[in-house]
Amino acid sequence: AAGVIQSPRHLIKEKRETATLKCYPIPRHDTVYWYQQGPGQDPQFLISFYEKMQSDKGSIPDRFSAQQFSDYHSELNMSSLELGDSALYFCASSLVPSANTGELFFGEGSRLTVL
Amino acid sequence: DQQVKQNSPSLSVQEGRISILNCDYTNSMFDYFLWYKKYPAEGPTFLISISSIKDKNEDGRFTVFLNKSAKHLSLHIVPSQPGDSAVYFCAANRYGGATNKLIFGTGTLLAVQP
């Protein structure tokens, strides 16, 4: 079965550069979530989109922005990169019907290293 | 403020024995509790969940127990297998219409010794 696809899997950037991560959700899933996991930390919720509209916002820095496109894929744009942005970025998707068990399906993550 | 807590960063168990992973939470409004398993360099994979209206859910070797009065849940794996060695994250969800974000605990690294 198709899973959540993230690209690139690895990315190395210099400080103050810009990075873009892409996420392709499971077909027919209407909601996309972005999480950031620093070394030894739990995944932190950044932002989510439902039907191409932002549905929730977590601890996402102002330097970051994201959107969901008409084909439901999502992109996370990160500007003025800092060393502390080095982390594993996970995208997840789900279908949000009226009855929901809360399960999110995660991609394999994009590892960003800022030098 | 860590709403979901896993106080044991690691756990080591012998193959064939029971593994018990614990999780505490602070928000009584959570609707679902989930356990995810994560191998290095992979995304979290869903293991089992429990609704806040239940106290037990079982799926094969995995059972999750929920004690709402204590705001505590646990994952039991029996019998434990070496392939179960991974980081286990407890997560909670408060369903609110179009948002379904999960709040994760800090994870417990389970090592099952052959």
Side-chain angles (χ1 to χ4, degrees), chain B residues 25-55:
Chain B
Y25 62 94
T26 58
N27 190 340
S28 58
M29 301 298 289
F30 286 135
D31 295 307
Y32 284 95
F33 301 91
L34 303 90
W35 285 93
Y36 277 80
K37 179 179 177 180
K38 186 180 180 302
Y39 293 116
E42 293 185 11
T45 54
F46 172 74
L47 201 55
I48 191 170
S49 68
I50 187 168
S51 164
S52 62
I53 62 173
K54 295 187 176 181
D55 55 18

Side-chain angles (χ1 to χ4, degrees), chain B residues 2 27 31 56 58 72 94 108:
Chain B
Q2 191 76 26
N27 190 340
D31 295 307
K56 178 183 175 181
E58 191 172 353
H72 176 84
R94 182 183 174 195
T108 297

Side-chain angles (χ1 to χ4, degrees), chain A residues 9 31 33 35 37 41-43 45 48 50 55-56 88 90 94 96-98 100-104 106-108, chain B residues 2 32-34 36 38 41-46 49 89 93 95 97-107:
Chain A
R9 292 293 310 278
T31 307
Y33 309 79
Y35 281 81
Q37 185 181 21
Q41 297 181 2
D42 50 300
F45 172 73
S48 64
Y50 169 68
S55 56
D56 202 350
L88 202 50
F90 289 108
S94 73
V96 188
S98 56
N100 192 288
T101 61
E103 180 182 353
L104 304 188
F106 284 83
E108 295 191 326
Chain B
Q2 191 76 26
Y32 284 95
F33 301 91
L34 303 90
Y36 277 80
K38 186 180 180 302
E42 293 185 11
T45 54
F46 172 74
S49 68
F89 286 99
N93 146 280
Y95 182 60
T99 182
N100 192 29
K101 70 182 181 189
L102 295 180
I103 297 173
F104 285 88
T106 48

Side-chain angles (χ1 to χ4, degrees), chain A:
Chain A
V4 176
I5 306 297
Q6 289 187 245
S7 67
R9 292 293 310 278
H10 301 274
L11 190 60
I12 300 175
K13 289 286 185 178
E14 301 276 340
K15 281 196 309 182
R16 292 179 289 278
E17 285 191 320
T18 297
T20 296
L21 306 181
K22 296 185 178 182
C23 170
Y24 296 85
I26 291 173
R28 292 185 294 282
H29 280 192
D30 52 19
T31 307
V32 168
Y33 309 79
W34 285 98
Y35 281 81
Q36 177 193 57
Q37 185 181 21
Q41 297 181 2
D42 50 300
Q44 292 287 319
F45 172 73
L46 293 179
I47 195 167
S48 64
F49 292 87
Y50 169 68
E51 285 292 343
K52 292 153 280 185
M53 299 287 289
Q54 181 181 309
S55 56
D56 202 350
K57 193 171 180 180
S59 51
I60 184 169
D62 292 340
R63 299 177 289 107
F64 292 11
S65 65
Q67 61 183 122
Q68 186 178 30
F69 295 85
S70 57
D71 64 351
Y72 291 95
H73 95 273
S74 177
E75 294 184 6
L76 177 66
N77 299 294
M78 300 174 282
S79 61
S80 302
L81 287 169
E82 301 173 356
L83 295 178
D85 296 329
S86 296
L88 202 50
Y89 290 83
F90 289 108
C91 174
S93 72
S94 73
L95 194 57
V96 188
S98 56
N100 192 288
T101 61
E103 180 182 353
L104 304 188
F105 296 83
F106 284 83
E108 295 191 326
S110 294
R111 181 171 294 283
L112 171 66
T113 302
V114 181
L115 302 176

